[in-house]
Amino acid sequence: MNTVTVRASRQYDILIGKGLLPRLGTLAGKLGKARKVCVVSETTVFPLYGQVVTDSLAAAGFCVVSYVFPAGEERKNAQTYLQLLNFLAENRLTRSDLIVALGGGVTGDLAGFAAATYLRGIRFIQVPTTLLAAVDSSVGGKTAIDLPSGKNLAGAFCQPSMVLCDIDTLNTLPAEVFRDGCAEVIKYGILYDPVLFSHLEQKGLCFDREYVITRCVELKRDVVMEDEFDTGARMKLNLGHTIGHGVEAKSNFTLSHGKSVSIGIAIVSRACRCVDTHRILAILQQFGLPISTEESAEDILFYALSDKKRSADQVSLILPNAIGDCSIVPTPIDQLESFIQAGL
Ligand code: NAD
Ligand code: GLY
């Protein structure tokens, strides 16, 4: 097992390894004097891992209640959030009690936002079960729900008290969902780490999961400790996301997030003439991710600008100079369409 410690507005450990779920109760017991735990999960993940998680918590002496909502991004909304808050209140969780988020990024974001706001904040543990959640959403304290106007428009920064990443849970992931997470893993290599990138090139989808997840988490930990509230260095994690968001939204979200990010990374790499463009395109293809789109630059731009990260008359694009070296480049909106066109 590997341990990565985050020192942000709250200090916490991220534990990464095999066979960790049965240890959750004992580890949660060390966090303080919680008596009750609410396990928040969804209808795909809870039948797979709910029993081992609730048994472990009960064996450690916790009173356990479970809130299970229908799986899917469309349920990361205000209605589910309010139902969850009411469930916590009806079950009389107090400020010293705990929430456990068991699932992918949807569960982590929803449960984290409830933890950030219920009784003005109670502690929570992230138990990520997708690759994306393991390397990205469970770390760093961004929590959110979607509004009808867009994704993640209501949320809070709220660091978890622990992240328990049992890599065995990834064995039940559909191949497409695993592949989507790989786009984020490749992103870390391009942004920060040529050694990680080379490992991925050599191993492809058979990469060493414990090493790769730990390395991505270390890299995100460093960014979060430098810029917890996303005003500078943390923006780099948006590599491929602004343009990818345009492609994803234009498809009416029928194209997955990971595939859209992959297209976004490919477009910016070509457009800024990154010296390692050929390696970036090759690795995305090696992982079965797309590197092109039929959409026009005009349409991609239109949908990309509905992204809430736009400020005033420019957007901050993350541009790769070479593997392990990327820059934040404020780009005037009136130059964006020709930039995208150059990368198609
Ligand atoms: P998800 O939680 O919807 O999981 C994807 C699919 O995999 C779902 O169908 C789910 O039921 C299923 N699943 C999850 N774990 C499984 C397992 N172990 N075995 C079998 N099936 C399993 O989506 P995701 O891709 O994990 O996360 C996407 C969400 O994360 C988005 O809402 C996005 O906004 C958010 N996100 C947040 C951050 C952050 O910093 N907070 C960062 C990136 C993404
Ligand atoms: N996923 C981007 C961030 O955590 O900032």
Side-chain angles (χ1 to χ4, degrees):
M1 180 183 79
N2 296 323
T3 304
V4 179
T5 301
V6 182
R7 292 181 183 82
S9 52
R10 176 180 274 149
Q11 177 171 325
Y12 56 98
D13 286 340
I14 300 163
L15 311 177
I16 302 149
K18 289 169 152 292
L20 296 184
L21 286 189
R23 294 173 56 186
L24 176 63
T26 310
L27 293 162
K30 293 180 181 161
L31 291 178
K33 50 181 179 358
R35 203 179 55 81
K36 204 172 269 184
V37 177
C38 178
V39 177
V40 178
S41 191
E42 38 91 320
T43 45
T44 302
V45 173
F46 195 77
L48 293 168
Y49 304 110
Q51 193 69 51
V52 63
V53 161
T54 51
D55 284 355
S56 166
L57 290 163
F62 290 105
C63 167
V64 187
V65 293
S66 302
Y67 179 85
V68 181
F69 63 97
E73 177 77 30
E74 59 281 4
R75 300 301 181 126
K76 199 180 95 174
N77 62 22
Q79 191 187 4
T80 316
Y81 165 70
L82 283 178
Q83 280 173 355
L84 172 54
L85 292 186
N86 280 319
F87 182 85
L88 297 171
E90 282 158 11
N91 284 281
R92 300 185 185 283
L93 268 83
T94 69
R95 290 198 69 192
S96 57
D97 290 329
L98 270 174
I99 287 176
V100 167
L102 172 67
V106 164
T107 303
D109 278 12
L110 170 77
F113 188 43
T117 47
Y118 177 68
L119 300 180
R120 301 193 181 86
I122 70 171
R123 292 169 304 156
F124 72 112
I125 296 173
Q126 290 272 18
V127 183
T129 63
T130 63
L131 182 58
L132 178 142
V135 299
D136 192 356
S137 60
S138 67
V139 180
K142 280 189 182 175
T143 72
I145 56 169
D146 303 333
L147 298 182
S149 307
K151 280 184 65 170
N152 298 325
L153 291 186
F157 285 96
C158 182
Q159 301 293 338
S161 294
M162 179 168 74
V163 182
L164 189 82
C165 176
D166 183 339
I167 59 179
D168 287 338
T169 61
L170 304 182
N171 293 337
T172 53
L173 271 185
E176 284 300 295
V177 179
F178 185 80
R179 212 182 289 278
D180 273 347
C182 291
E184 304 289 348
V185 169
I186 292 167
K187 179 191 80 176
Y188 283 104
I190 299 171
L191 282 173
Y192 306 113
D193 191 342
V195 176
L196 171 64
F197 192 90
S198 296
H199 176 86
L200 296 169
E201 280 181 322
Q202 282 160 25
K203 303 283 183 181
L205 282 162
C206 299
F207 62 79
D208 177 338
R209 292 182 180 184
E210 194 161 333
Y211 157 68
V212 166
I213 292 171
T214 302
R215 188 67 196 123
C216 293
V217 165
E218 286 171 346
L219 291 164
K220 182 151 186 187
R221 180 267 319 268
D222 293 346
V223 177
V224 168
M225 284 173 56
E226 185 183 343
D227 178 26
E228 179 174 357
F229 298 107
D230 202 9
T231 57
R234 191 166 176 170
M235 281 193 272
K236 283 194 180 175
L237 297 176
N238 288 327
L239 173 67
H241 281 59
T242 302
I243 292 171
H245 174 76
V247 177
E248 189 179 6
K250 174 66 175 66
S251 78
N252 202 17
F253 297 91
T254 55
L255 191 67
S256 72
H257 179 71
K259 290 194 174 88
S260 305
V261 167
S262 174
I263 292 169
I265 291 174
I267 290 175
V268 293
S269 303
R270 284 189 288 248
C272 75
R273 297 168 194 257
C274 169
V275 294
D276 285 322
T277 299
H278 61 291
R279 286 180 74 194
I280 292 172
L281 300 182
I283 200 169
L284 293 170
Q285 287 186 298
Q286 185 185 354
F287 277 78
L289 291 161
I291 58 167
S292 59
T293 173
E294 296 295 308
E295 307 296 352
S296 68
E298 186 184 8
D299 281 350
I300 295 171
L301 177 61
F302 178 82
Y303 284 90
L305 292 186
S306 64
D307 187 343
K308 68 183 188 308
K309 292 174 188 77
R310 178 165 77 95
S311 70
D313 52 2
Q314 60 183 24
V315 289
S316 293
L317 288 180
I318 314 307
L319 303 183
N321 308 310
I323 304 300
D325 174 21
C326 294
S327 304
I328 303 174
V329 181
T331 307
I333 281 172
D334 60 12
Q335 293 176 18
L336 264 181
E337 187 174 330
S338 56
F339 179 84
I340 296 170
Q341 185 63 47
L344 285 177

